[in-house]
Amino acid sequence: MATQVDVFSTAHAFSEDELKGKVVVVVDVLRAGSTITTALVNGARGVIPVADMGEASKIAGNLDSSNYLLCGEHNGHRIDGYKLGNSPLEYQRESVEDKTIILKTTNGTGAIRRSHLAKKVIVATFLNLGRVIEELEEAETEVLLVCAGTRNRLAIEDILCAGAIVYGLTGGQLDGHETDGAKVAYSLYEKFGDNIYDVLKHSNHGEWLINEFGDVDISFCSKLNQMPVLPVWKEGVIRLVDGSK
Ligand code: MLT
């Protein structure tokens, strides 16, 4: 592995200062990361991750109403009055093309916001895993994988995805000098990487989603490398970087 990689198990497992100057990868498989990636692939102009609904309204107030969509969830369900919730399947081209998405989610958008001191913030999911690994292979500073988690607790699907990144960066071979976080995530992926769908389905948040909405989002979010793109958060907006489509 060319550079040191560490893994934070939740978005509250670090102080914001620790990310200063680092390359940060925010992982929220179910579902914010997958939703952001899908929206951008389907032509959204950009995604603005917000901390709360008050901030969403404030940003919306400064934009032309034909240019943005207020989107997001509270406790997993679409916020009343918002256009879209947090299922990636809602973010079809006909809804999002050329729109700026103002997105509020319970954990994912907060994890991105907590990474504001980083040198670069990338959004990773299983959907764009290969493209993220390719980018990190070129990283010149320490890479920190921030797993968003669920309600301040670890979410196995995020650690699994972080493990897939470590696995990719090491070529499937640990040399023993990696950080503990990288070793744990790697080991999880080594054991369960062939069964991503099953891990998501039986995860705490996955079981909740299936109970509420069926398994459509789990099935969608567990697919590997369907979207070879690199979403990067810069100056408040997540966009695909040039050449990532
Ligand atoms: C979040 O950011 O908390 C999640 O994406 C929740 C969800 O599945 O909607």
Side-chain angles (χ1 to χ4, degrees):
M1 195 155 45
T3 187
Q4 186 80 334
V5 177
D6 208 348
V7 179
F8 291 117
S9 56
T10 74
H12 293 275
F14 56 88
S15 73
E16 294 178 18
D17 264 355
E18 285 180 78
L19 309 192
K20 209 172 192 164
K22 307 286 168 59
V23 173
V24 168
V25 179
V26 176
V27 183
D28 186 357
V29 172
L30 295 176
R31 296 169 292 173
S34 302
T35 293
I36 291 165
T37 306
T38 304
L40 293 170
V41 164
N42 284 338
R45 202 182 287 276
V47 178
I48 302 178
V50 297
D52 53 44
M53 288 161 63
E55 190 190 357
S57 306
K58 214 166 151 187
I59 292 172
N62 290 325
L63 296 174
D64 180 329
S65 63
S66 61
N67 289 341
Y68 72 83
L69 299 176
L70 271 178
C71 304
E73 51 78 22
H74 179 67
N75 291 335
H77 291 277
R78 181 171 56 80
I79 296 167
D80 272 352
Y82 278 26
K83 188 76 180 167
L84 304 173
N86 192 31
S87 165
L89 294 166
E90 293 174 88
Y91 290 71
Q92 301 294 330
R93 184 166 291 276
E94 52 271 29
S95 304
V96 303
E97 190 162 33
D98 292 329
K99 303 284 187 197
T100 296
I101 308 294
I102 302 172
L103 184 68
K104 187 260 162 211
T105 73
T106 309
N107 307 282
T109 56
I112 294 168
R113 297 290 302 259
R114 291 204 76 229
S115 307
H116 63 109
L117 295 178
K119 178 177 162 197
K120 188 169 198 174
V121 180
I122 297 169
V123 175
T125 67
F126 287 113
L127 298 170
N128 66 336
L129 182 75
R131 179 66 183 88
V132 171
I133 292 170
E134 196 183 296
E135 179 73 10
L136 297 179
E137 277 166 349
E138 309 295 323
E140 282 161 12
T141 61
E142 188 182 8
V143 172
L144 299 174
L145 309 182
V146 169
C147 297
T150 301
R151 296 166 203 279
N152 299 336
R153 297 187 184 200
L154 175 158
I156 193 170
E157 64 277 11
D158 294 342
I159 309 287
L160 187 70
C161 187
I165 294 171
V166 177
Y167 194 92
L169 288 173
T170 56
Q173 197 78 53
L174 290 186
D175 67 16
H177 297 295
E178 293 79 9
T179 61
D180 291 355
K183 285 179 189 156
V184 168
Y186 175 101
S187 305
L188 189 75
Y189 183 74
E190 195 177 40
K191 189 164 170 56
F192 296 113
D194 289 338
N195 298 305
I196 296 171
Y197 171 79
D198 284 335
V199 173
L200 267 56
K201 184 175 168 188
H202 296 295
S203 66
N204 293 161
H205 192 49
E207 286 185 347
W208 183 86
L209 286 170
I210 288 175
N211 198 37
E212 297 292 314
F213 309 115
D215 86 332
V216 283
D217 287 346
I218 310 286
S219 177
F220 186 87
C221 297
S222 62
K223 297 215 165 66
L224 261 183
N225 295 325
Q226 301 292 300
M227 302 177 178
V229 297
L230 194 72
V232 172
W233 184 47
K234 200 174 172 190
E235 290 159 7
V237 186
I238 306 166
R239 295 193 178 90
L240 297 183
V241 301
D242 288 344
S244 71
K245 264 192 179 178

